[in-house]
Amino acid sequence: MSSPSAPPSIPSSSALRRYLSGADSTLGRLTRILSTTSGVDTTLLTLGYSLTLVSAQLQRTLEKQLERLALSVVEKASDALLPGETLVATLPTPDGPLAQLAAGSKAAADLIADFRIFLRLWGLLSIYQWAKSTYHSPPADGLLRRVAWAQVAVNAAYQYLENGAYLAQHGILPGRSWTAAKQTRWWVWSSRFWAAHVVLDFVRLARVRQLRLRNRGAAGVSGVEGEGEKEGRVEAAREETRWWDEIYVNAAYAPLTLHWSLEEGCVSEAWVGALGTIAGVIGFRELWKQSG
């Protein structure tokens, strides 16, 4: 006779405490991230673009299903049609769980995008503080100083145009002058100023790297060593990581700014979701490190 099976194992109290402690730590970090405006925006950015990507992929799957259905109908009808006859068929609109998930993901992504723009309505105040800080504590390097002021200018123009287009789109700015064509023009030009910011940021990052390499070369020639040598190497590694993160974020944003700078766009919704998700994940990862 076979022996009775052993009863299911019950997690020990220590394992349960470790699990609860880990969950508490995770929730604490999320709370700290979501307690700041930048943390909320980065979280929503990541979530919104991820939903855009999911929606685009689901829509692509649905389109392939309809294409297979259409080919199947044509193949079956071709044998029954007489010469000169034409088949006219209406394919059903997808309304299954997959279609509902795609529509829900798109609606959630659009809502998040709208909410993020609403939160940026006060962005000109932050840009004013940025300009004030640049005036009182400008970068020592001449090129970086000029880039900083140029970024302040293009961001102010971007924010002003986006605010006007957004408020007009929601009917808050009255007047017949706010036609759909004018709103589109303001959206497009706001994106062009954002694109200019991205280009300027590449210039800034290139100059920062040039100066850093020059300083490292000078330090190597002088042969200065001391107790802080190890700490210096650690900080240099952190700066290098941050520099590359900024490069990747700007590389993801560059095609997006170009896409929105054109009335017809130039990339698919799937690429919009993928590129935005890359930028969001990099930003959220940095916030996660800081929240620990």
Side-chain angles (χ1 to χ4, degrees), residues 154-165:
V154 298
N155 275 276
Y158 152 74
Q159 195 60 69
Y160 173 77
L161 290 167
E162 184 186 72
N163 286 357

Side-chain angles (χ1 to χ4, degrees), residues 194-270:
W194 181 18
H197 164 79
V198 172
V199 172
L200 288 167
D201 221 35
F202 277 122
V203 175
R204 178 186 66 83
L205 289 167
R207 182 59 173 170
V208 166
R209 188 169 188 82
Q210 183 184 43
L211 293 174
R212 187 182 301 161
L213 293 175
R214 183 184 300 173
N215 292 335
R216 286 181 188 173
V221 170
S222 63
V224 176
E225 293 184 3
E227 296 180 357
E229 182 183 0
K230 181 178 180 181
E231 289 78 1
R233 286 199 301 268
V234 171
E235 181 58 30
R238 289 174 181 168
E239 289 179 354
E240 186 75 3
T241 300
R242 286 193 295 268
W243 188 88
W244 278 109
D245 282 348
E246 291 186 67
I247 286 289
Y248 294 143
V249 168
N250 281 300
Y253 276 143
L256 293 179
T257 59
L258 177 62
H259 170 69
W260 287 311
S261 295
L262 304 172
E263 291 191 19
E264 301 299 326
C266 61
V267 298
S268 66
E269 277 294 289

Side-chain angles (χ1 to χ4, degrees), residues 53-264:
L53 178 59
V54 168
S55 173
Q57 294 299 329
L58 290 176
Q59 191 62 39
R60 185 178 178 183
T61 300
L62 290 170
E63 290 172 357
K64 287 184 176 180
Q65 290 180 353
L66 283 176
E67 184 179 348
R68 286 195 296 269
L69 177 60
L71 289 174
S72 175
V73 170
V74 169
E75 289 175 357
K76 291 178 180 179
S78 60
D79 295 334
L81 290 175
L82 297 175
E85 289 185 325
T86 303
L87 173 67
V88 178
T90 301
L91 297 177
T93 302
D95 60 353
L98 203 62
Q100 293 173 6
L101 182 59
S105 300
K106 183 68 168 63
D110 291 343
L111 180 62
I112 290 172
D114 189 274
F115 182 64
R116 289 185 62 231
I117 297 174
F118 175 79
L119 290 179
R120 288 199 298 269
L121 285 174
W122 295 269
L124 285 171
L125 297 177
S126 300
I127 295 171
Y128 165 75
Q129 291 297 327
W130 181 9
K132 183 178 177 182
S133 174
T134 302
Y135 177 78
H136 288 291
S137 303
D141 180 70
L143 178 58
L144 290 180
R145 185 163 56 250
R146 289 190 293 273
V147 168
W149 280 116
Q151 286 187 308
V152 168
V154 298
N155 275 276
Y158 152 74
Q159 195 60 69
Y160 173 77
L161 290 167
E162 184 186 72
N163 286 357
Y166 179 79
L167 293 173
Q169 183 185 69
H170 287 271
I172 298 172
L173 291 181
R176 295 181 179 178
S177 64
W178 282 104
T179 61
K182 181 178 179 179
Q183 291 177 33
T184 299
R185 221 167 31 245
W186 279 50
W187 282 119
V188 166
W189 273 103
S190 70
S191 297
R192 289 172 182 172
F193 281 111
W194 181 18
H197 164 79
V198 172
V199 172
L200 288 167
D201 221 35
F202 277 122
V203 175
R204 178 186 66 83
L205 289 167
R207 182 59 173 170
V208 166
R209 188 169 188 82
Q210 183 184 43
L211 293 174
R212 187 182 301 161
L213 293 175
R214 183 184 300 173
N215 292 335
R216 286 181 188 173
V221 170
S222 63
V224 176
E225 293 184 3
E227 296 180 357
E229 182 183 0
K230 181 178 180 181
E231 289 78 1
R233 286 199 301 268
V234 171
E235 181 58 30
R238 289 174 181 168
E239 289 179 354
E240 186 75 3
T241 300
R242 286 193 295 268
W243 188 88
W244 278 109
D245 282 348
E246 291 186 67
I247 286 289
Y248 294 143
V249 168
N250 281 300
Y253 276 143
L256 293 179
T257 59
L258 177 62
H259 170 69
W260 287 311
S261 295
L262 304 172
E263 291 191 19
E264 301 299 326

